[in-house]
Amino acid sequence: MSASTHRQEGNHEEAAPRATPPSGPIAALGATAIEFLRAGLELYSVFVRALYYVFRGRREKGALVKQMFEIGNRSVFFVSITMGFIGMILVYQSGLQLRRVIPDFTMLGATYLELLVRDLGPSIASLILATRVGAGIAAEIGSMVVTEQVDALRMCAADPIDFLVVPRFLASLVMTTMLIVWASTVAFFAGAATAYFAYDLSFQTFFNVSLIDAGDVITGMSKCIAYGAAIPIVSGYCGLSTFGGSEGVGWATTRAVVNSSLAIIILNFFISGAAFLIF
């Protein structure tokens, strides 16, 4: 045995034992923060690549129309029924609180319409859409990942972002905006009917647009576009990061709903803050 071999064995014997990873609440908090940052960077990468392929990508014939039907037409009934009941609840509860302070309902419709246009309509309708549209996108793309269809796309030199995320992204921008406008209209008329039957408030008094201005409309439309972009991007990222078979698809669906809802709330905070400073 050579002298160098003896030195190598000696070095192995003298090597310090491998350090164990730190544990405890601070280490767990740090690991969670690093994981959150990594996920945020990957999500940002999906968003930037989707924007790039919107202008430079290839279009499969009929894919956009199919996704618009899946996102828009199949959600109309669910969104209309839910927003109708929410509109009735909001007006009824607002009337009860108003009766305790000043029993004057003349501005109930105007105040409700302003809140509906500026915040409640886009936010509540988008949260409803996140449960149906976001879960559907993540489940569909996640199933393609676990069945290796996404790998087949990559072998054909096709980017999954271009073929799977971009059609849903464009369809969601259009159909989410249209659905929010429709759902807000349903919620307003449902609220008007509630005010008429519960508080004997005439439709002419309830249909008051005196508090609506350009800032309210711009803020509401900005939220529609932002939410319409966030839901397919977040859900597409969750679907593409699926692993672990059918159980992984279930987790990806859950993460898509949770993360899309969280993105809507965060975007609502920043857009509302910017609108408060601008208008």
Side-chain angles (χ1 to χ4, degrees):
M1 187 176 294
S2 64
S4 61
T5 306
H6 283 294
R7 285 197 297 271
Q8 291 177 0
E9 290 180 353
N11 291 335
H12 285 302
E13 292 173 356
E14 296 172 358
R18 181 177 296 178
T20 57
S23 59
I26 296 179
L29 183 62
T32 303
I34 292 173
E35 182 66 22
F36 184 77
L37 180 61
R38 184 187 62 80
L41 292 175
E42 292 180 357
L43 187 61
Y44 176 74
S45 173
V46 172
F47 176 63
V48 172
R49 290 164 63 189
L51 286 181
Y52 171 79
Y53 285 120
V54 165
F55 301 101
R56 304 295 298 271
R58 292 173 288 184
R59 292 287 169 272
E60 185 182 357
K61 189 175 181 180
L64 181 59
V65 176
K66 178 184 176 183
Q67 293 304 323
M68 291 176 70
F69 180 82
E70 292 291 333
I71 294 174
N73 295 47
R74 293 188 183 278
S75 304
V76 169
F77 181 76
F78 176 53
V79 172
S80 301
I81 294 296
T82 308
M83 286 297 291
F85 277 102
I86 289 176
M88 288 190 287
I89 294 169
L90 288 175
V91 169
Y92 183 73
Q93 293 295 334
S94 300
L96 287 180
Q97 300 303 320
L98 190 63
R99 178 181 286 169
R100 295 177 181 176
V101 182
I102 46 172
D104 183 7
F105 298 100
T106 54
M107 295 302 292
L108 177 61
T111 307
Y112 174 60
L113 182 59
E114 184 187 26
L115 288 174
L116 201 62
V117 171
R118 192 180 184 91
D119 190 31
L120 294 181
S123 301
I124 297 176
S126 296
L127 289 173
I128 295 169
L129 285 174
T131 62
R132 205 203 77 80
V133 176
I137 292 174
E140 187 175 359
I141 296 178
S143 300
M144 296 179 69
V145 170
V146 299
T147 55
E148 300 180 352
Q149 296 181 57
V150 174
D151 292 335
L153 278 176
R154 292 193 177 98
M155 291 179 65
C156 297
D159 194 322
I161 302 293
D162 187 16
F163 278 81
L164 299 178
V165 177
V166 170
R168 292 165 174 82
F169 175 71
L170 294 175
S172 178
L173 280 178
V174 177
M175 301 310 293
T176 298
T177 302
M178 296 178 67
L179 281 172
I180 289 175
V181 173
W182 166 252
S184 300
T185 305
V186 171
F188 180 71
F189 279 94
T194 304
Y196 177 77
F197 290 107
Y199 305 112
D200 197 22
L201 184 64
S202 67
F203 292 109
Q204 185 177 2
T205 304
F206 192 86
F207 294 168
N208 186 350
V209 297
S210 60
L211 296 182
I212 298 295
D213 56 21
D216 298 323
V217 178
I218 293 173
T219 303
M221 293 304 296
S222 300
K223 291 180 179 179
C224 293
I225 296 172
Y227 301 158
I231 292 174
I233 293 296
V234 174
S235 303
Y237 162 73
C238 294
L240 289 174
S241 59
T242 301
F243 62 92
S246 58
E247 185 179 358
V249 176
W251 277 110
T253 304
T254 303
R255 285 196 301 129
V257 174
V258 172
N259 294 339
S260 297
S261 302
L262 184 61
I264 288 169
I265 293 172
I266 293 174
L267 286 172
N268 186 10
F269 174 79
F270 285 106
I271 295 175
S272 298
F276 177 77
L277 296 176
I278 295 173
F279 303 107

